């Protein structure tokens, strides 16, 4: 199977894994996880230098999920990659499970606890600066939400990243244009988002965040400019992959009913058949 086909199939399989996980647990951020799945698959299966058998390997690329609420796709990817057994996905959000509703660094593959929005980029700046000071070659990738851009700490970290010329730092915005209470334009407009990041000293690349080939091409080429951090503005569709969830604000934190779950799995199964 060619690599592009493998990655596209994998993204559908990951969606099926975590939609089932959310349905069985009765909780989860379904729409947000569906929008960021392709980004995570591109990073973990192609772009980043990782060793699931040695998750603390010093030369590994670092990943920080700043939009921590969209953790379900992250758990499914880590399990599929072998950071922990896939059977453990069944414990999601159960009593004493380490697979909680936000990234938890007791889980192999998770660098830092996240959840309070606006913190992940600042932590990533510190990691990237440490790599520079230690003469290490690893890169640091951090995934942010577009609603998260309303947090002032994002812009403090953006200034620091440019000031220290952290060309080993890659910020990614899951630009699905919806947040928990409505569209980003209605809640607090962040346009022109690309120009704002450029004005803070970052190299900005815009990409279709649900197009696997584009994602792999762009993310594999980061960092793009010596002496500048890179911001990938990934235009995505909230609820991607499930027709009745796509671009629907109500699916930010919605658990499928039995009928919705059955329809979702049927749709995803048919998408897989295209790649048989």
């Amino acid at each position: 199977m060619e690599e592009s086909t493998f990655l596209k199939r994998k993204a559908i399989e990951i969606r099926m894994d975590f939609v089932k996980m959310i349905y069985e647990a009765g909780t989860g951020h379904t729409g947000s996880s569906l929008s960021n799945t392709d980004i995570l698959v591109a990073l973990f299966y192609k772009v980043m230098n990782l060793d699931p058998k040695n998750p603390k390997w010093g030369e590994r690329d670092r990943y920080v999920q700043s939009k921590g609420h969209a953790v379900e796709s992250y758990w499914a990817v880590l399990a599929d990659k072998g950071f922990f057994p896939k059977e453990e996905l069944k414990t999601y959000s159960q009593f004493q499970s380490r697979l909680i509703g936000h990234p938890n660094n007791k889980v192999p593959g998770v660098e830092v606890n996240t959840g309070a929005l606006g913190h992940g980029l600042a932590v990533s700046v510190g990691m990237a600066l440490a790599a520079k000071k230690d003469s290490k070659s690893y890169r640091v990738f951090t995934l942010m939400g577009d609603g998260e851009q309303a947090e002032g700490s994002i812009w403090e970290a953006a200034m620091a990243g440019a000031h220290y010329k952290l060309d080993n730092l890659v910020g990614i915005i899951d630009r699905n244009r919806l947040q928990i209470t409505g569209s980003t334009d209605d809640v607090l407009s962040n346009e022109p988002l690309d120009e704002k990041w450029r004005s803070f000293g970052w190299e900005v690349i815009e990409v279709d965040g649900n197009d696997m080939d584009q994602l792999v091409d762009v993310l594999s080429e980061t960092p793009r400019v010596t002496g500048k951090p890179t911001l990938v503005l990934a235009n995505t569709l909230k609820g991607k992959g499930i027709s009745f969830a796509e671009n629907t604000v109500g699916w930010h934190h919605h658990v499928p009913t039995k009928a919705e779950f059955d329809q979702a799995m049927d749709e995803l199964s048919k998408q897989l058949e295209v790649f048989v």
Side-chain angles (χ1 to χ4, degrees):
M1 183 186 300
E2 69 174 40
E3 184 177 68
S4 176
T5 299
F6 167 78
L7 293 171
K8 291 170 185 176
R9 277 188 59 92
K10 182 58 66 178
I12 299 168
E13 293 168 354
I14 292 296
R15 286 183 170 97
M16 294 179 77
D17 285 346
F18 73 74
V19 169
K20 181 179 180 182
M21 186 175 73
I22 290 171
Y23 173 69
E24 292 180 345
T27 186
H29 286 80
T30 311
S32 303
S33 288
L34 287 166
S35 73
N36 72 29
T37 300
D38 300 298
I39 298 168
L40 266 66
V41 168
L43 287 172
F44 278 85
Y45 293 83
K46 173 60 180 177
V47 175
M48 291 197 299
N49 193 16
L50 300 167
D51 183 359
K53 295 180 180 179
N54 185 15
K56 294 297 184 182
W57 175 44
E59 302 301 322
R60 72 191 181 282
D61 287 332
R62 271 65 166 173
Y63 172 76
V64 175
Q65 185 150 311
S66 192
K67 55 173 297 181
H69 56 279
V71 74
E72 294 82 11
S73 50
Y74 191 15
W75 291 148
V77 164
L78 290 178
D80 189 71
K81 286 290 293 181
F83 283 91
F84 60 86
K86 288 192 76 170
E87 278 293 303
E88 193 171 345
L89 293 177
K90 295 178 181 179
T91 73
Y92 170 63
S93 280
Q94 292 184 12
F95 180 60
Q96 293 188 329
S97 173
R98 60 183 179 170
L99 302 185
I100 56 177
H102 288 82
N104 166 24
N105 65 2
K106 294 180 181 178
V107 180
V110 177
E111 300 289 345
V112 62
N113 295 351
T114 53
L117 293 174
H119 292 181
L121 184 62
V123 172
S124 298
V125 165
M127 290 178 175
L129 185 56
K132 291 287 189 182
K133 289 185 176 296
D134 292 340
S135 299
K136 298 288 187 179
S137 61
Y138 64 78
R139 295 168 295 172
V140 183
F141 296 85
T142 183
L143 179 65
M144 300 172 278
D146 48 7
E148 186 180 3
Q149 304 305 295
E151 299 284 354
S153 51
I154 290 285
W155 301 103
E156 294 178 57
M159 283 191 290
H163 174 78
Y164 290 109
K165 298 179 171 55
L166 299 179
D167 51 16
N168 56 346
L169 175 62
V170 182
I172 307 166
I173 298 177
D174 182 9
R175 185 74 169 109
N176 60 40
R177 300 178 184 273
L178 293 175
Q179 55 192 100
I180 191 169
T181 56
S183 74
T184 53
D185 285 343
D186 290 339
V187 176
L188 186 64
S189 177
N190 52 31
E191 293 293 356
L193 195 52
D194 56 345
E195 293 179 20
K196 287 178 180 176
W197 278 91
R198 287 190 182 99
S199 74
F200 273 72
W202 288 56
E203 178 69 10
V204 177
I205 311 164
E206 196 160 352
V207 64
D208 182 340
N210 294 129
D211 185 306
M212 187 62 68
D213 295 330
Q214 284 190 41
L215 282 168
V216 168
D217 286 347
V218 167
L219 291 170
S220 295
E221 292 176 0
T222 54
R224 291 286 287 269
V225 177
T226 300
K228 293 176 70 173
T230 299
L231 188 283
V232 177
L233 190 57
N235 294 300
T236 61
L237 192 62
K238 195 145 191 169
K240 175 67 177 178
I242 299 176
S243 63
F244 50 93
E246 290 185 346
N247 203 33
T248 303
V249 69
W251 277 80
H252 178 87
H253 192 286
H254 176 78
V255 176
T257 64
K258 176 64 164 61
E260 290 170 338
F261 172 74
D262 289 343
Q263 184 179 344
M265 297 303 279
D266 181 63
E267 288 187 11
L268 291 167
S269 295
K270 288 178 179 175
Q271 292 170 34
L272 268 184
E273 292 173 3
V274 174
F275 298 105
V276 172

